[in-house]
Amino acid sequence: MQNVILLDEYRCDKRRESEVVLDNPEQDFHDQIFEKTIQSSEIPTVLQKHGFNLLSILPIEKWSLLEQPLPLLCADRIDYTLRDLSTYNMISLVDARNFVDELKVIDSKICLKTVEAAEGFVKAYYTEVIDFFLHPLNVYGYVVLTDILKLAMDKQIIHFDDFLLDDSSIWKKLINSKDEEISQKIRDISRTVISDEEKYGIHQKKKVRIIDPLVLVDKGQVKKATELSTKVIELNQNALEKSLKGTFVRVLNT
């Protein structure tokens, strides 16, 4: 199956790219800069406005609902799924708010009140981590942008601290450098790519992210969604197959 993709429909994930550029196998660069980034932002002022002190929420590790191992739900997983899909109009803000109303915490674990909510979130989650992360254009953009950032670091056009800046500021530095090699690679981003398992130039797999939310059942007990829904089982199996297969990208010369 060949699917022509328009570049401006998708974005690249600078967080993942920065880990590769900085040759950080632990992939914890964003954790290393977390507090510094928060302190230099408008967040402390917003917290103060609502009666909170920044120090009262740090260190972030004390918030157990923020990060939970797969296949459980966690605040971070819920946040990026709903935020990204609503940003790209794949779900409405009403849908996102309605989903939040379905959340409940039982024994320090996030669960859902109904199996229907679990099915809906699992479908939305795989729209993010499979349909989006493994989309040929996203894979291509990730490869090219990582290459650009590595080259810019080698040429000292950008430096470590620049990864604390926002995307547009780094992009402006790259463009303003007038470096011909980087300029050519930036132009390459606009090339058309298709999915092609036979004549591909890039094959990439992503981290396998399988999710199985807990669902509230009778008498306050919880069960895994896969114990209650064949739909979730099917979605998980499909996601696993796609993750293991990866994405095959062919870059057109036009």
Side-chain angles (χ1 to χ4, degrees):
M1 177 181 178
Q2 293 187 343
N3 180 30
V4 178
I5 306 151
L6 299 178
L7 178 64
D8 59 359
E9 290 179 353
Y10 292 85
R11 65 165 171 79
C12 297
D13 187 340
K14 189 185 77 174
R15 169 172 148 174
R16 289 181 294 133
E17 285 139 8
S18 63
E19 304 288 4
V20 177
V21 171
L22 298 173
D23 192 22
N24 182 13
E26 299 299 324
Q27 296 195 2
D28 62 352
F29 170 69
H30 54 286
D31 294 323
Q32 296 175 30
I33 66 171
F34 178 83
E35 290 191 19
K36 184 176 181 180
T37 302
I38 292 295
Q39 290 168 351
S40 62
S41 72
E42 71 277 12
I43 291 176
T45 302
V46 173
L47 288 172
Q48 188 175 22
K49 180 180 177 181
H50 293 277
F52 295 94
N53 185 289
L54 176 62
L55 295 180
S56 69
I57 70 169
L58 298 175
I60 202 68
E61 290 80 9
K62 70 182 179 181
W63 302 102
S64 60
L65 296 181
L66 178 62
E67 298 282 357
Q68 288 286 322
L70 287 166
L72 296 173
L73 291 179
C74 67
D76 180 52
R77 216 160 277 137
I78 293 168
D79 170 63
Y80 69 67
T81 299
L82 299 183
R83 177 165 37 85
D84 286 354
L85 295 187
S86 63
T87 296
Y88 288 93
N89 298 315
M90 294 178 181
I91 62 171
S92 68
L93 285 176
V94 172
D95 291 334
R97 293 190 184 105
N98 288 342
F99 174 77
V100 171
D101 290 337
E102 293 290 330
L103 298 173
K104 192 172 182 65
V105 177
I106 303 289
D107 295 331
S108 300
K109 296 287 189 295
I110 299 176
C111 66
L112 292 163
K113 297 177 183 177
T114 66
V115 68
E116 290 79 15
E119 291 172 343
F121 183 77
V122 171
K123 181 179 179 181
Y125 178 76
Y126 289 138
T127 298
E128 168 85 357
V129 302
I130 301 297
D131 298 344
F132 178 74
F133 286 171
L134 287 177
H135 194 286
L137 184 58
N138 196 31
V139 169
Y140 174 69
Y142 174 83
V143 170
V144 176
L145 189 52
T146 297
D147 194 25
I148 290 172
L149 293 173
K150 280 185 174 181
L151 182 62
M153 287 281 287
D154 290 342
K155 294 189 173 189
Q156 298 188 344
I157 293 170
I158 60 173
H159 304 86
F160 180 88
D161 286 347
D162 289 324
F163 287 95
L164 298 174
L165 302 173
D166 58 36
D167 293 355
S168 60
S169 297
I170 292 182
W171 197 245
K172 187 178 294 184
K173 275 198 164 192
L174 295 172
I175 293 175
N176 290 343
S177 72
K178 306 297 183 182
D179 182 274
E180 182 53 37
E181 193 174 3
I182 288 177
S183 297
Q184 180 57 56
K185 289 183 179 295
I186 289 175
R187 290 192 290 270
D188 287 342
I189 291 181
S190 299
R191 298 174 75 177
T192 302
V193 299
I194 60 174
S195 177
D196 190 335
E197 294 185 25
E198 295 181 357
K199 299 179 180 179
Y200 62 90
I202 298 170
H203 176 228
Q204 191 170 103
K205 297 181 181 181
K206 299 294 184 184
K207 175 184 176 182
V208 177
R209 294 178 171 91
I210 301 301
I211 195 165
D212 193 3
L214 297 176
V215 179
L216 184 64
V217 292
D218 293 336
K219 299 179 181 179
Q221 299 298 309
V222 297
K223 287 188 175 182
K224 296 178 181 179
T226 50
E227 296 179 270
L228 304 169
S229 170
T230 56
K231 182 177 180 180
V232 172
I233 293 174
E234 292 171 358
L235 288 167
N236 281 359
Q237 183 60 37
N238 181 58
L240 179 60
E241 290 173 359
K242 288 185 176 180
S243 294
L244 294 175
K245 179 180 179 181
T247 301
F248 298 83
V249 182
R250 178 183 170 193
V251 183
L252 303 182
N253 293 324
T254 56

